[in-house]
């Protein structure tokens, strides 16, 4: 086994570096999901209001983030923010901004859909006992729609995690980027290195995303 | 007219070009039960929903205890605490236990202390024989039980009058009686009520006054005792015959 390819993973500090890259990946994903999730709920609630201008602006925002490929968004923010707005942020922070805005946009649509599928009768009986609009959302509409939105939200979370694999495009040292560096640095000694490193990365993404997949399935069953 | 509670003057409502209520005028005194009768599509439900601001109206005036009601959503929100409403499809909040369904309004809207509100809710539940269900969720109850809870939920706010919109229409026949008995009890306690119903025997028992509507107009307004034996209009006679009364 002296020259078995799998050793590349444990050669020198390789394993620790992969884990470090993975931590960057998870950090970007988690921060974006948390902030974007809260923002998405707020925007989703706003999108159920009858203000036309508000609806139009939020719709535009959603479509912008839904239609433009994430790579293009990353480049857009990575190159335009410093050049035209003199905002020189580290790549990882640019990534968090893009992923947060993307999460918020997509989550807002899920939240809006769930809120609008709560029957009109529920709104009326809430109003009939004198609830204000805020109270109606807080005690009646949002709690009832959370169950409806969970499967789609979890699906979105796994998409966000998987799409962090694009972070290397703007030179964030995420797990993929670290993996490539390891493969290149060990090219001579481990010609088959790519297979093992990407195999390991596959496995790492799998163990992060699979629990969400199971959770979504369980929630779907309990509905 | 010292005890006039609600007066409606020249109320008109249309959905787009389609008029649904024409020039509605009536009044209800404190402690009276007003029953709205008429074929389906006559505007009864629309009218009763106008009375707590769930439906906007194009023109006309509503007076509550002699004060003109400004039809703004803020104002309606305040007034709705004084107006109990029960709907055909009960509409308890499925995410809340029975107790929380009942105390949501008293605690959040009227700012009552939690223990006070819960104590009263229990007493009300007891009066409709459902005290054992306080900690259950609506899905665990039958339709008739849910409707009784919906009445309790409205009563918990100490309303000055109650609106009932076909509250037995979607119940199994054997469930209907329990709900109607609660309403008869309320009438005995001199609760002011406006009731839309298709239960003619019940209407006869409970009505002090009947408004008979067709195509959005009031065809006649007659004391309850007289309406069921000797209605003023031929149309009302036909209607009563068609209802097998």
């Amino acid at each position: 086994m002296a020259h078995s390819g799998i050793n590349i993973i444990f050669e020198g500090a390789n394993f620790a570096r992969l884990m470090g890259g993975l931590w960057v990946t998870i950090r970007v994903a988690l921060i974006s999901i948390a902030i974007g999730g809260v923002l998405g709920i707020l925007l989703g609630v706003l999108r159920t209001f009858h203000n036309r201008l508000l609806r139009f602006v939020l719709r535009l925002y959603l479509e912008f983030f839904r239609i433009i490929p994430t790579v293009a968004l990353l480049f857009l923010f990575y190159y335009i923010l410093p050049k035209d707005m003199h905002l020189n942020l580290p790549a990882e922070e640019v990534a968090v901004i893009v992923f947060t805005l993307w999460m918020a946009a997509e989550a807002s649509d899920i939240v809006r859909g769930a809120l609008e599928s709560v029957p009109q009768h529920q709104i009326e009986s809430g109003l009939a006992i004198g609830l204000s609009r805020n109270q109606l959302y807080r005690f009646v509409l949002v709690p009832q729609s959370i169950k409806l939105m969970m499967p789609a939200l979890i699906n979105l979370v796994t998409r966000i995690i998987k799409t962090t694999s694009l972070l290397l495009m703007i030179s964030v040292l995420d797990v993929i980027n670290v993996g490539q560096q390891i493969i290149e640095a060990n090219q001579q000694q481990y010609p088959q290195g790519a297979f093992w490193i990407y195999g390991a990365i596959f496995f790492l993404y799998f163990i992060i995303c699979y629990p969400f997949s199971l959770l979504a399935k369980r929630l779907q069953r309990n509905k | 007219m010292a005890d006039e509670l609600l007066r409606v003057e020249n109320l008109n409502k249309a959905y787009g070009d389609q008029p649904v209520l024409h020039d509605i005028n009536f009044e209800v005194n404190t402690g009276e039960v007003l029953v709205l009768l008429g074929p389906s599509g006559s505007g009864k439900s629309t009218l009763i929903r106008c009375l707590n601001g769930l439906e906007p109206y194009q023109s006309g005036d509503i007076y509550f205890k002699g004060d003109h009601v400004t039809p703004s959503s803020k104002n309606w929100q305040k007034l709705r605490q004084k107006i109990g409403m029960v709907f055909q499809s009960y509409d308890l909040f499925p995410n809340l236990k029975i107790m929380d369904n009942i105390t949501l309004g008293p605690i959040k809207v009227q700012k009552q202390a939690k223990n006070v509100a819960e104590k009263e809710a229990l007493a009300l539940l007891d009066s409709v024989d459902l005290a054992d269900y306080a900690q259950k969720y609506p899905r665990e109850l039958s339709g008739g039980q849910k409707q009784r809870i919906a009445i309790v939920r409205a009563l918990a706010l100490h309303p000055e009058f109650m609106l009932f919109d076909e509250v037995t229409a979607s119940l199994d026949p054997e469930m209907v009686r329990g709900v109607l008995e609660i309403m008869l009890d309320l009438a005995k306690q001199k609760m002011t009520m406006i009731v839309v119903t298709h239960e003619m025997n019940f209407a006869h028992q409970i009505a002090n006054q009947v408004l008979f509507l067709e195509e959005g107009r009031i065809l006649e307004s007659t004391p309850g005792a007289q309406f069921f034996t000797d209605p003023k209009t031929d149309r009302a006679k036909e209607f009563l015959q068609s209802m097998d009364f």
Side-chain angles (χ1 to χ4, degrees):
Chain A
M1 294 284 280
H3 240 66
S4 175
I6 196 170
N7 288 336
I8 186 175
I9 297 170
F10 305 103
E11 184 86 45
N14 286 357
F15 186 71
R17 288 183 62 206
L18 268 183
M19 287 297 127
L22 185 68
W23 172 237
V24 172
T25 298
I26 292 176
R27 193 165 57 201
V28 171
L30 281 187
I31 296 174
S32 310
I33 288 163
I35 304 176
V38 174
L39 200 62
I41 291 174
L42 286 176
L43 296 180
V45 168
L46 289 180
R47 285 191 60 202
T48 62
F49 289 5
H50 293 289
N51 185 321
R52 277 195 153 159
L53 179 69
L54 189 69
R55 285 179 92 125
F56 176 74
V57 170
L58 292 177
R59 184 72 203 270
L60 210 64
Y61 163 63
L62 165 70
E63 295 299 344
F64 181 81
F65 276 86
R66 188 143 66 183
I67 290 167
I68 298 179
T70 315
V71 187
L73 285 172
L74 283 171
F75 284 150
L76 209 64
F77 278 75
Y78 188 62
Y79 291 113
I80 286 179
L81 278 186
K83 190 158 175 276
D84 293 334
M85 302 178 73
H86 305 289
L87 197 59
N88 237 323
L89 295 175
E92 195 182 318
E93 285 173 30
V94 173
V96 167
I97 291 174
V98 170
F99 278 78
T100 298
L101 291 176
W102 177 37
M103 171 80 190
E106 298 256 13
S108 79
D109 208 39
I110 294 169
V111 171
R112 177 198 58 79
L115 284 173
E116 284 177 355
S117 63
V118 175
Q120 179 69 18
H121 289 147
Q122 288 288 319
I123 297 174
E124 290 183 348
S125 58
L127 291 176
I129 59 169
L131 296 181
S132 66
R133 185 157 73 170
N134 285 347
Q135 290 171 328
L136 187 66
Y137 275 92
R138 197 165 137 212
F139 300 116
V140 179
L141 297 182
V142 172
Q144 283 185 40
S145 57
I146 278 178
K147 242 189 173 161
L148 299 169
M149 62 177 88
M150 265 343 252
L153 271 185
I154 290 169
N155 184 24
L156 175 61
V157 163
T158 40
R159 267 170 64 212
I160 298 268
I161 294 173
K162 282 189 293 185
T163 312
T164 53
S165 54
L166 295 175
L167 290 182
L168 89 161
M169 306 297 285
I170 57 167
S171 316
V172 175
L173 274 178
D174 75 323
V175 69
I176 307 261
N177 207 343
V178 171
Q180 282 193 346
Q181 289 177 356
I182 293 173
I183 294 164
E184 277 160 31
N186 296 277
Q187 191 71 44
Q188 292 293 321
Q189 204 185 344
Y190 295 98
Q192 299 295 314
F195 173 80
W196 292 102
I197 292 296
Y198 282 127
I201 290 172
F202 163 89
F203 191 68
L204 292 173
Y205 269 105
F206 180 82
I207 52 177
I208 297 172
C209 291
Y210 190 59
F212 288 107
S213 199
L214 286 179
L215 186 63
K217 230 183 245 161
R218 237 190 68 190
L219 288 171
Q220 203 96 44
R221 253 207 320 270
N222 290 347
K223 229 173 17 177
Chain B
M1 271 303 157
D3 57 354
E4 171 195 288
L5 187 68
L6 188 76
R7 187 166 83 245
V8 174
E9 283 182 358
N10 308 103
L11 189 82
N12 283 285
K13 175 174 177 62
Y15 291 118
D17 296 338
Q18 187 75 33
V20 281
L21 292 175
H22 294 275
D23 200 26
I24 301 288
N25 289 282
F26 68 90
E27 59 204 33
V28 187
N29 293 333
T30 305
E32 260 186 7
V33 177
L34 178 73
V35 174
L36 308 185
L37 295 177
S40 41
S42 58
K44 311 177 295 282
S45 285
T46 309
L47 175 55
I48 205 173
R49 287 159 56 84
C50 284
L51 301 181
N52 76 345
L54 286 180
E55 292 279 350
Y57 43 90
Q58 272 80 30
S59 67
D61 297 288
I62 297 176
Y63 296 85
F64 177 61
K65 288 180 158 178
D67 295 328
H68 182 252
V69 175
T70 315
S72 70
S73 59
K74 260 250 136 16
N75 193 40
W76 274 122
Q77 190 206 320
K78 241 187 289 165
L79 270 175
R80 285 188 190 117
Q81 300 171 43
K82 299 179 182 159
I83 308 169
M85 179 147 188
V86 185
F87 302 85
Q88 178 177 339
S89 47
Y90 12 105
D91 301 310
L92 300 180
F93 305 123
N95 55 310
L96 299 176
K97 289 180 179 166
I98 298 304
M99 176 57 83
D100 300 323
N101 259 280
I102 298 168
T103 57
L104 183 63
I107 293 175
K108 299 299 175 188
V109 179
Q110 296 183 331
K111 312 291 177 203
Q112 290 183 26
K114 190 166 183 244
N115 56 343
V116 175
E118 291 195 340
K119 207 171 145 197
E120 201 197 330
L122 263 184
L124 281 168
L125 277 174
D126 200 38
S127 72
V128 299
D129 298 325
L130 290 172
D132 295 344
Y133 292 82
Q135 297 307 318
K136 293 198 189 291
Y137 282 93
R139 61 172 175 272
E140 300 171 73
L141 275 63
S142 72
Q145 291 170 329
K146 278 189 241 186
Q147 195 58 295
R148 275 140 73 191
I149 301 290
I151 295 174
V152 165
R153 180 173 67 180
L155 289 174
L157 290 160
H158 302 287
E160 303 207 27
F161 69 100
M162 293 279 289
L163 305 172
F164 290 91
D165 187 7
E166 302 201 34
V167 292
T168 57
S170 56
L171 295 181
D172 286 339
E174 68 261 40
M175 304 285 182
V176 169
R177 207 156 136 215
V179 172
L180 296 183
E181 271 166 9
I182 292 172
M183 291 165 72
L184 286 167
D185 257 4
L186 284 174
K188 261 187 225 141
Q189 296 161 29
K190 291 291 163 205
M191 170 63 82
T192 313
M193 302 197 263
I194 300 176
V195 180
V196 174
T197 186
H198 288 290
E199 302 279 341
M200 289 300 136
N201 281 312
F202 166 70
H204 192 182
Q205 270 178 285
I206 203 169
N208 296 115
Q209 188 79 15
V210 172
L211 291 187
F212 181 66
L213 280 85
E214 188 171 57
E215 289 176 352
R217 295 172 198 278
I218 296 180
L219 292 195
E220 67 170 277
S221 170
T222 312
Q226 189 194 336
F227 182 84
F228 291 94
T229 50
D230 184 23
K232 294 176 193 163
T233 57
D234 290 343
R235 186 64 194 93
K237 272 180 203 146
E238 273 173 50
F239 174 76
L240 286 173
Q241 269 160 17
S242 75
M243 297 303 282
D244 267 335
F245 180 75

